[in-house]
Amino acid sequence: MRPAPVAILIPALNEAASLPTVLAGLPAGARVIVCDNGSTDGTPQIAAAAGAEVVHEPRRGYGSAILKGMEALRADPPAIVVIWDGDASVDPQDLDVLLRPIRDGQADMVLGDRTTLADPGALTPQQRWGNALATRLIGWRSGRYFADMGPFRAIRWEALAALGMRDPTWGWNVEMQMKAARGGMRVVEVPVRCRVRIGESKISGTVRGAVRAGGRILQACWRYG
């Protein structure tokens, strides 16, 4: 069988330093859409020069960027959508691991679990603490406990469309996992590597960013539970 067509969505805000590395590592044949979220450092120009499609969402927000990418896919949807960070923390060799449960008919959504294979320093203490708190809240509210809430994930297009995603903020991942769990979707976690990102994190790079993202995530746990 020919592999199912895949679209890769890369939400990006000022990732000019890391994007060339990210795009160079992507597999040939995948449809790649960089969802620019109002960058001021040349991110969309770099993406276009590397051959990626670029969509623009000036309204800031991680979820807003991905929703704009989904809009671009609706006219010709893929079988599988992969969400891939633009900071070079994802190891491209893990893509097959992420896709395999869907291609084998064993899952509707696959989440990359970074908690065991992350490189030293790739996950900051505040990321680990916030991740543990969020996954516990998701479990408490939905009845399904996850190991991670990482951004590297794959989902069948039909399943993604059925979720009715709407969160424009860092609460996107919470909404996705919560709705999938409560809707009875087959969700699988697979261990993936996590490398030290290139550039400063929008979440853990500053105290303000960590607090804002944490607040959005906690709000999402209540809103979608």
Side-chain angles (χ1 to χ4, degrees):
M1 293 179 60
R2 295 178 62 189
V6 173
I8 298 174
L9 300 183
I10 305 177
L13 171 60
N14 292 332
E15 298 289 8
S18 58
L19 206 53
T21 299
V22 173
L23 296 175
L26 296 181
R31 182 178 179 186
V32 179
I33 300 179
V34 173
C35 313
D36 182 63
N37 202 201
S39 298
T40 58
D41 66 346
T43 288
Q45 291 80 10
I46 289 171
E53 296 178 48
V54 179
V55 296
H56 299 275
E57 177 50 82
R59 293 171 297 178
R60 291 290 175 87
Y62 179 79
S64 293
I66 300 175
L67 287 167
K68 180 62 72 172
M70 287 177 61
E71 284 183 19
L73 294 175
R74 282 198 178 93
D76 184 21
I80 303 171
V81 176
V82 175
I83 299 174
W84 191 303
D85 257 10
D87 59 9
S89 62
V90 173
D91 190 326
Q93 295 184 31
D94 285 330
L95 181 59
D96 285 341
V97 174
L98 195 76
L99 294 175
R100 191 172 301 126
I102 296 178
R103 287 177 166 167
D104 289 347
Q106 299 173 351
D108 300 304
M109 181 166 77
V110 182
L111 307 174
D113 172 14
R114 307 162 296 173
T115 59
T116 59
L117 299 181
D119 290 346
L123 294 176
T124 63
Q126 56 266 39
Q127 282 178 296
R128 290 186 180 275
W129 183 87
N131 186 68
L133 175 61
T135 51
R136 283 188 185 136
L137 287 173
I138 291 172
W140 177 44
R141 298 285 285 174
S142 72
R144 172 67 191 268
Y145 288 85
F146 298 98
D148 196 6
M149 202 180 62
F152 188 38
R153 48 187 61 202
I155 184 169
R156 292 190 307 107
W157 171 262
E158 291 85 356
L160 178 57
L163 290 178
M165 295 294 295
R166 58 190 177 89
D167 197 289
T169 73
W170 293 108
W172 169 277
N173 288 345
V174 173
E175 179 190 8
M176 198 176 188
Q177 288 172 230
M178 194 89 74
K179 286 184 172 179
R182 296 183 75 107
M185 288 186 182
R186 299 170 301 165
V187 183
V188 173
E189 287 187 281
V190 295
V192 297
R193 286 158 287 197
C194 180
R195 306 183 296 194
V196 176
R197 64 160 291 143
I198 296 175
E200 186 178 75
S201 171
K202 310 303 184 300
I203 297 180
S204 58
T206 64
V207 173
R208 181 184 179 189
V211 170
R212 288 183 63 193
R216 296 293 190 186
I217 290 168
L218 291 176
Q219 288 174 9
C221 287
W222 290 103
R223 182 178 302 125
Y224 303 111

PDB file of all heavy atoms in Angstrom, residues 143-159:
ATOM      1  N   GLY A 143     -10.862  11.427  32.712  1.00  0.00           N
ATOM      2  CA  GLY A 143     -10.748  10.006  32.988  1.00  0.00           C
ATOM      3  C   GLY A 143      -9.631   9.323  32.215  1.00  0.00           C
ATOM      4  O   GLY A 143      -9.420   8.115  32.364  1.00  0.00           O
ATOM      5  N   ARG A 144      -8.894  10.058  31.399  1.00  0.00           N
ATOM      6  CA  ARG A 144      -7.788   9.485  30.631  1.00  0.00           C
ATOM      7  C   ARG A 144      -6.494  10.189  31.034  1.00  0.00           C
ATOM      8  O   ARG A 144      -6.389  11.408  30.941  1.00  0.00           O
ATOM      9  CB  ARG A 144      -8.039   9.671  29.129  1.00  0.00           C
ATOM     10  CG  ARG A 144      -6.860   9.280  28.242  1.00  0.00           C
ATOM     11  CD  ARG A 144      -6.576   7.791  28.291  1.00  0.00           C
ATOM     12  NE  ARG A 144      -5.313   7.473  27.647  1.00  0.00           N
ATOM     13  CZ  ARG A 144      -5.182   7.146  26.357  1.00  0.00           C
ATOM     14  NH1 ARG A 144      -6.249   7.131  25.574  1.00  0.00           N
ATOM     15  NH2 ARG A 144      -4.003   6.838  25.868  1.00  0.00           N
ATOM     16  N   TYR A 145      -5.534   9.388  31.504  1.00  0.00           N
ATOM     17  CA  TYR A 145      -4.279   9.961  31.966  1.00  0.00           C
ATOM     18  C   TYR A 145      -3.197   9.807  30.901  1.00  0.00           C
ATOM     19  O   TYR A 145      -2.995   8.716  30.365  1.00  0.00           O
ATOM     20  CB  TYR A 145      -3.846   9.292  33.274  1.00  0.00           C
ATOM     21  CG  TYR A 145      -4.704   9.717  34.438  1.00  0.00           C
ATOM     22  CD1 TYR A 145      -5.902   9.065  34.704  1.00  0.00           C
ATOM     23  CD2 TYR A 145      -4.343  10.797  35.246  1.00  0.00           C
ATOM     24  CE1 TYR A 145      -6.715   9.466  35.758  1.00  0.00           C
ATOM     25  CE2 TYR A 145      -5.145  11.200  36.300  1.00  0.00           C
ATOM     26  CZ  TYR A 145      -6.324  10.534  36.550  1.00  0.00           C
ATOM     27  OH  TYR A 145      -7.133  10.942  37.585  1.00  0.00           O
ATOM     28  N   PHE A 146      -2.538  10.921  30.607  1.00  0.00           N
ATOM     29  CA  PHE A 146      -1.470  10.945  29.621  1.00  0.00           C
ATOM     30  C   PHE A 146      -0.134  11.193  30.314  1.00  0.00           C
ATOM     31  O   PHE A 146      -0.088  11.791  31.385  1.00  0.00           O
ATOM     32  CB  PHE A 146      -1.710  12.061  28.602  1.00  0.00           C
ATOM     33  CG  PHE A 146      -2.972  11.902  27.798  1.00  0.00           C
ATOM     34  CD1 PHE A 146      -4.129  12.581  28.152  1.00  0.00           C
ATOM     35  CD2 PHE A 146      -3.001  11.072  26.689  1.00  0.00           C
ATOM     36  CE1 PHE A 146      -5.295  12.440  27.418  1.00  0.00           C
ATOM     37  CE2 PHE A 146      -4.157  10.920  25.936  1.00  0.00           C
ATOM     38  CZ  PHE A 146      -5.306  11.606  26.304  1.00  0.00           C
ATOM     39  N   ALA A 147       0.935  10.778  29.659  1.00  0.00           N
ATOM     40  CA  ALA A 147       2.272  11.022  30.198  1.00  0.00           C
ATOM     41  C   ALA A 147       2.785  12.405  29.845  1.00  0.00           C
ATOM     42  O   ALA A 147       3.591  12.981  30.565  1.00  0.00           O
ATOM     43  CB  ALA A 147       3.246   9.959  29.688  1.00  0.00           C
ATOM     44  N   ASP A 148       2.312  12.938  28.712  1.00  0.00           N
ATOM     45  CA  ASP A 148       2.873  14.188  28.210  1.00  0.00           C
ATOM     46  C   ASP A 148       1.782  14.997  27.519  1.00  0.00           C
ATOM     47  O   ASP A 148       0.708  14.495  27.191  1.00  0.00           O
ATOM     48  CB  ASP A 148       4.007  13.893  27.223  1.00  0.00           C
ATOM     49  CG  ASP A 148       4.904  15.092  26.950  1.00  0.00           C
ATOM     50  OD1 ASP A 148       4.725  16.145  27.604  1.00  0.00           O
ATOM     51  OD2 ASP A 148       5.789  14.981  26.079  1.00  0.00           O
ATOM     52  N   MET A 149       2.086  16.259  27.304  1.00  0.00           N
ATOM     53  CA  MET A 149       1.205  17.157  26.570  1.00  0.00           C
ATOM     54  C   MET A 149       2.032  17.872  25.494  1.00  0.00           C
ATOM     55  O   MET A 149       1.868  19.056  25.237  1.00  0.00           O
ATOM     56  CB  MET A 149       0.572  18.162  27.531  1.00  0.00           C
ATOM     57  CG  MET A 149      -0.708  18.787  27.026  1.00  0.00           C
ATOM     58  SD  MET A 149      -1.357  19.940  28.244  1.00  0.00           S
ATOM     59  CE  MET A 149      -0.029  21.142  28.325  1.00  0.00           C
ATOM     60  N   GLY A 150       2.930  17.107  24.896  1.00  0.00           N
ATOM     61  CA  GLY A 150       3.869  17.686  23.947  1.00  0.00           C
ATOM     62  C   GLY A 150       3.239  18.119  22.644  1.00  0.00           C
ATOM     63  O   GLY A 150       2.154  17.663  22.272  1.00  0.00           O
ATOM     64  N   PRO A 151       3.920  18.968  21.889  1.00  0.00           N
ATOM     65  CA  PRO A 151       3.365  19.525  20.660  1.00  0.00           C
ATOM     66  C   PRO A 151       3.503  18.620  19.442  1.00  0.00           C
ATOM     67  O   PRO A 151       2.837  18.858  18.424  1.00  0.00           O
ATOM     68  CB  PRO A 151       4.179  20.803  20.462  1.00  0.00           C
ATOM     69  CG  PRO A 151       5.505  20.474  21.081  1.00  0.00           C
ATOM     70  CD  PRO A 151       5.200  19.594  22.259  1.00  0.00           C
ATOM     71  N   PHE A 152       4.377  17.606  19.484  1.00  0.00           N
ATOM     72  CA  PHE A 152       4.599  16.732  18.329  1.00  0.00           C
ATOM     73  C   PHE A 152       3.526  15.647  18.337  1.00  0.00           C
ATOM     74  O   PHE A 152       3.545  14.736  19.157  1.00  0.00           O
ATOM     75  CB  PHE A 152       5.998  16.122  18.430  1.00  0.00           C
ATOM     76  CG  PHE A 152       6.432  15.342  17.219  1.00  0.00           C
ATOM     77  CD1 PHE A 152       6.112  15.752  15.933  1.00  0.00           C
ATOM     78  CD2 PHE A 152       7.203  14.195  17.372  1.00  0.00           C
ATOM     79  CE1 PHE A 152       6.530  15.027  14.816  1.00  0.00           C
ATOM     80  CE2 PHE A 152       7.631  13.475  16.271  1.00  0.00           C
ATOM     81  CZ  PHE A 152       7.292  13.890  14.994  1.00  0.00           C
ATOM     82  N   ARG A 153       2.573  15.756  17.409  1.00  0.00           N
ATOM     83  CA  ARG A 153       1.429  14.850  17.415  1.00  0.00           C
ATOM     84  C   ARG A 153       0.885  14.658  16.010  1.00  0.00           C
ATOM     85  O   ARG A 153       1.064  15.502  15.133  1.00  0.00           O
ATOM     86  CB  ARG A 153       0.334  15.379  18.338  1.00  0.00           C
ATOM     87  CG  ARG A 153      -0.003  16.848  18.124  1.00  0.00           C
ATOM     88  CD  ARG A 153      -0.978  17.377  19.191  1.00  0.00           C
ATOM     89  NE  ARG A 153      -0.424  17.291  20.531  1.00  0.00           N
ATOM     90  CZ  ARG A 153      -1.162  17.271  21.645  1.00  0.00           C
ATOM     91  NH1 ARG A 153      -2.481  17.352  21.567  1.00  0.00           N
ATOM     92  NH2 ARG A 153      -0.599  17.170  22.837  1.00  0.00           N
ATOM     93  N   ALA A 154       0.206  13.527  15.804  1.00  0.00           N
ATOM     94  CA  ALA A 154      -0.398  13.211  14.510  1.00  0.00           C
ATOM     95  C   ALA A 154      -1.839  12.778  14.743  1.00  0.00           C
ATOM     96  O   ALA A 154      -2.158  12.159  15.761  1.00  0.00           O
ATOM     97  CB  ALA A 154       0.383  12.099  13.812  1.00  0.00           C
ATOM     98  N   ILE A 155      -2.708  13.086  13.778  1.00  0.00           N
ATOM     99  CA  ILE A 155      -4.119  12.751  13.919  1.00  0.00           C
ATOM    100  C   ILE A 155      -4.736  12.577  12.533  1.00  0.00           C
ATOM    101  O   ILE A 155      -4.355  13.275  11.583  1.00  0.00           O
ATOM    102  CB  ILE A 155      -4.863  13.842  14.725  1.00  0.00           C
ATOM    103  CG1 ILE A 155      -6.325  13.452  14.977  1.00  0.00           C
ATOM    104  CG2 ILE A 155      -4.749  15.204  14.060  1.00  0.00           C
ATOM    105  CD1 ILE A 155      -7.039  14.358  15.978  1.00  0.00           C
ATOM    106  N   ARG A 156      -5.646  11.629  12.402  1.00  0.00           N
ATOM    107  CA  ARG A 156      -6.367  11.488  11.147  1.00  0.00           C
ATOM    108  C   ARG A 156      -7.182  12.760  10.888  1.00  0.00           C
ATOM    109  O   ARG A 156      -7.737  13.354  11.813  1.00  0.00           O
ATOM    110  CB  ARG A 156      -7.331  10.294  11.212  1.00  0.00           C
ATOM    111  CG  ARG A 156      -6.670   8.945  11.287  1.00  0.00           C
ATOM    112  CD  ARG A 156      -7.682   7.810  11.107  1.00  0.00           C
ATOM    113  NE  ARG A 156      -8.797   7.926  12.028  1.00  0.00           N
ATOM    114  CZ  ARG A 156     -10.040   8.300  11.687  1.00  0.00           C
ATOM    115  NH1 ARG A 156     -10.334   8.624  10.436  1.00  0.00           N
ATOM    116  NH2 ARG A 156     -10.989   8.366  12.601  1.00  0.00           N
ATOM    117  N   TRP A 157      -7.240  13.187   9.637  1.00  0.00           N
ATOM    118  CA  TRP A 157      -7.961  14.413   9.311  1.00  0.00           C
ATOM    119  C   TRP A 157      -9.414  14.349   9.774  1.00  0.00           C
ATOM    120  O   TRP A 157      -9.930  15.307  10.355  1.00  0.00           O
ATOM    121  CB  TRP A 157      -7.895  14.699   7.819  1.00  0.00           C
ATOM    122  CG  TRP A 157      -8.800  15.831   7.415  1.00  0.00           C
ATOM    123  CD1 TRP A 157     -10.052  15.743   6.870  1.00  0.00           C
ATOM    124  CD2 TRP A 157      -8.551  17.235   7.600  1.00  0.00           C
ATOM    125  NE1 TRP A 157     -10.586  16.996   6.680  1.00  0.00           N
ATOM    126  CE2 TRP A 157      -9.680  17.929   7.123  1.00  0.00           C
ATOM    127  CE3 TRP A 157      -7.467  17.952   8.104  1.00  0.00           C
ATOM    128  CZ2 TRP A 157      -9.764  19.315   7.143  1.00  0.00           C
ATOM    129  CZ3 TRP A 157      -7.555  19.346   8.116  1.00  0.00           C
ATOM    130  CH2 TRP A 157      -8.693  20.007   7.642  1.00  0.00           C
ATOM    131  N   GLU A 158     -10.083  13.235   9.529  1.00  0.00           N
ATOM    132  CA  GLU A 158     -11.486  13.116   9.928  1.00  0.00           C
ATOM    133  C   GLU A 158     -11.643  13.251  11.438  1.00  0.00           C
ATOM    134  O   GLU A 158     -12.606  13.853  11.921  1.00  0.00           O
ATOM    135  CB  GLU A 158     -12.070  11.773   9.467  1.00  0.00           C
ATOM    136  CG  GLU A 158     -12.234  11.637   7.966  1.00  0.00           C
ATOM    137  CD  GLU A 158     -10.956  11.170   7.293  1.00  0.00           C
ATOM    138  OE1 GLU A 158      -9.921  11.021   7.977  1.00  0.00           O
ATOM    139  OE2 GLU A 158     -10.995  10.969   6.061  1.00  0.00           O
ATOM    140  N   ALA A 159     -10.702  12.698  12.186  1.00  0.00           N
ATOM    141  CA  ALA A 159     -10.764  12.803  13.640  1.00  0.00           C
ATOM    142  C   ALA A 159     -10.540  14.238  14.096  1.00  0.00           C
ATOM    143  O   ALA A 159     -11.229  14.738  14.993  1.00  0.00           O
ATOM    144  CB  ALA A 159      -9.729  11.874  14.277  1.00  0.00           C
TER     145      ALA A 159
END
